[in-house]
Amino acid sequence: ALDVYRVALVASPASLALHRSYGQLLLKQGRTVDAMRVMQQTAKLAPAEEAAALHINLAELKQSLGQTREALRAWEDAVASDSGSVAAWKGLAAAASVDGDERCQL
């Protein structure tokens, strides 16, 4: 199935649906690093709200892997994609406080 997606993505590199499905399949197969790379690419193609959701998922994955700094960047990308996303702001605040980021100090 992965090979089919790769061929399809060569034929349709701007297909949001193909990127999204490919990333989900990679996650299901336990290929987290590859899935995160595809999620980043997919976020570039997606409209703002969906891009923010992808960045949120990416941030949560990175946090679960202990990649605190990378997760913080993904939360920042989520906020940049959709500044009205409460989930993105909450995630950014939580990640910044865990990371000791001075921006969350009062």
Side-chain angles (χ1 to χ4, degrees):
L2 290 175
D3 290 336
V4 172
Y5 276 108
R6 286 187 200 106
V7 170
L9 285 167
V10 168
S12 301
S15 172
L16 179 62
L18 280 174
H19 278 87
R20 187 184 313 112
S21 296
Y22 183 48
Q24 290 171 348
L25 180 59
L26 287 166
L27 272 178
K28 285 180 184 176
Q29 291 190 354
R31 297 181 60 179
T32 307
V33 173
D34 292 331
M36 289 190 298
R37 180 184 47 76
V38 170
M39 289 169 72
Q40 288 173 320
Q41 293 170 341
T42 306
K44 292 176 186 174
L45 300 172
E49 284 184 14
E50 187 169 350
L54 286 163
H55 286 299
I56 288 169
N57 290 339
L58 191 56
E60 290 172 344
L61 272 172
K62 289 181 180 213
Q63 281 179 305
S64 73
L65 295 171
Q67 299 174 358
T68 308
R69 288 271 175 195
E70 293 85 356
L72 184 59
R73 276 189 234 112
W75 285 115
E76 290 169 341
D77 290 341
V79 168
S81 295
D82 183 4
S83 63
S85 170
V86 174
W89 281 108
K90 284 182 178 180
L92 177 59
S97 66
V98 167
D99 186 55
D101 192 311
E102 296 85 28
R103 291 175 290 179
C104 71
Q105 305 292 322
L106 295 178

